[in-house]
Amino acid sequence: MKHEDSVLLHTQGRIRHITLNRPRALNALNHAMVLHMAEALDAAEQDGAVVAVLLTGAGGRGLCAGGDIRSIRDDALAGGRASLDFWRDEYRLNARIARFPKPYVALMDGIVMGGGVGVSAHGSLRIVTERSRIAMPETGIGFVPDVGGTYLLGAAPGELGTHLALTGDAIGAADALLCGLADRFVPSGDLPALVTALDTCPTPEAVVATVAHHAGPAPAGELAGHRDWIDTCYAADTVEEIVERLDGCGVPAAKQAAATILAKSPTALKVTLTAIRRARRLESLEAVLDQEYRVSSTAFVGPDLVEGVRAQIVEKDRNPRWSPAALADVTDEDVARHFAPLGDGELGLGPAAGAGG
C-alpha cells in the first residue's frame, strides 16, 4: 500500500472526509499518515468551500488502534530516532486538531486506543456508538499515556482519569461521555444516515445542529456507579498507596483494579501518576504535550517499552519482565528523569517549553 493510500481524502458537499485506511492493522498510525493528516487539515482550513472535517476509520472494526508500536520497538532496538520524529509530528497534529477552527467531527466507532484517541478526542465533535471501546492502555506495554492523553484524563471528573490511566481499562460510550472524551452518542446503525446528512450541511452551524439531531442517550455505563471508591482510592499520593486502598476497600471491582495495576510496568505506573497530576497544573494542552514528549523520549530508551511490546504484541506470551520489577524499586529519581528538560530536543509547543514543567 502506498503511503497516500493509508489516508483517504475526498470532499462531499462541503465536508472534507479523512479516512484512516489500514484496516488490517486496525488503522494504526504511522509517520506518513500523521503527516498526510496534517497536510489535509491545512488544506481544509484554507479552503473556503469546506465547512467541516469528518474523520472515520476503514474496515468496520474501529477508528484507530493507536500508533504502530511494533515499528517503535524495532526502532528502539536498533538505537534509532525515527520514533521521536514520529511523536514530534503526531503531538503537533494532536494540538492542531484541538485548535482547528472548523468543526472536526470524529466517528469514534469500534476500537479507539492510544494514538486513535489523539486524533479524535481533541476534536470539537466526538461521536461514540454502542460499539466504542476507548482506552489509553500504555502502562501495559511499559509506556505512558501520550498524544495529550494525560491532559484529557487529568481533566476527567474526580479520579476517573487516574483510574483509566493506571489500569489501561477500555470504556464504552456512556463512560467516554462522562469522562469528557466524547460529546454525543449515535447508534452505529445510524452513522451512514448521519454522514449523508452532514454532506448536505452548508455551514459549520448546520454541522453542529445535524450531529445534535442524530444524537441520543447512550446505554448505561459503569464508572458512574464506581465513583465513590475510585475517587477515594486514587486520591492517594503514591501508586503503592492507591493499590493498597483498592485492595483493602472491600469492593470486588476495586480489588480487580488493584490486580490489573500490579501487572503493569512499575516505572510506567509511577511516571503516569506523576504525569497526570502535573498535567492538571499546566496551563494548556500544548504545555502538556511538551511534557509528554519529554516523558516519551525517556521511556523510549528505557527497558520496559521494548519488553512490554514484546510480551503483548510480538511474542504474545503476556508475561513481561519489567525492570525494575516492583513498585518499591522505582525511585523518585527514576521518575524525575522522565520530566527533565530536553534542551534543543524540546517539542516546543507551549510557552514554557524547556522549563521542565
Side-chain angles (χ1 to χ4, degrees), residues 111 113 128 140 171 246 249:
I111 293 172
M113 296 185 178
V128 285
I171 56 174
L246 289 169
C249 76

Side-chain angles (χ1 to χ4, degrees), residues 146-163:
D146 64 336
V147 299
T150 61
Y151 177 85
L152 294 164
L153 294 176
E159 295 294 337
L160 292 177
T162 310
H163 169 66

Side-chain angles (χ1 to χ4, degrees), residues 105-328:
V105 185
L107 301 190
M108 301 172 73
D109 184 39
I111 293 172
V112 186
M113 296 185 178
V117 174
V119 295
S120 59
H122 295 298
S124 54
L125 282 169
R126 306 157 303 171
I127 296 166
V128 285
T129 76
E130 79 285 352
R131 293 169 9 102
S132 296
R133 298 302 294 164
I134 300 168
M136 295 298 292
E138 287 77 7
T139 56
I141 57 165
F143 198 50
V144 177
D146 64 336
V147 299
T150 61
Y151 177 85
L152 294 164
L153 294 176
E159 295 294 337
L160 292 177
T162 310
H163 169 66
L164 296 178
L166 295 182
T167 62
D169 283 354
I171 56 174
D175 290 335
L177 293 164
L178 172 64
C179 291
L181 300 176
D183 302 297
R184 297 284 189 175
F185 173 82
V186 176
S188 60
D190 293 349
L191 292 181
L194 170 62
V195 171
T196 298
L198 287 172
D199 287 341
T200 68
C201 289
T203 64
E205 294 77 15
V207 169
V208 174
T210 297
V211 170
H213 175 74
H214 283 79
E222 299 176 6
L223 290 180
H226 295 319
R227 281 292 301 277
D228 285 350
W229 63 262
I230 286 176
D231 289 350
T232 299
C233 295
Y234 287 94
D237 291 335
T238 66
V239 178
E240 290 95 329
E241 189 180 351
I242 288 172
V243 171
E244 185 178 341
R245 289 187 185 186
L246 289 169
D247 211 29
C249 76
V251 178
K255 194 173 186 68
Q256 177 58 52
T260 297
I261 290 170
L262 288 175
K264 312 299 184 184
S265 158
T267 299
L269 290 169
K270 288 198 171 185
V271 174
T272 295
L273 181 62
T274 301
I276 291 279
R277 301 225 163 132
R278 289 173 60 120
R280 289 173 177 161
R281 301 195 298 270
L282 293 173
E283 69 276 12
S284 65
L285 169 63
E286 286 80 2
V288 175
L289 286 164
D290 283 343
Q291 172 175 279
E292 290 181 350
Y293 189 73
R294 297 177 196 125
V295 170
S296 297
S297 297
T298 303
F300 178 67
V301 296
D304 279 2
L305 176 59
V306 165
E307 172 61 11
V309 177
R310 179 205 66 77
Q312 302 296 341
I313 305 297
V314 179
E315 297 179 11
K316 295 186 170 75
D317 61 22
R318 307 290 192 265
N319 186 33
R321 295 179 288 275
W322 305 123
S323 179
L327 286 167

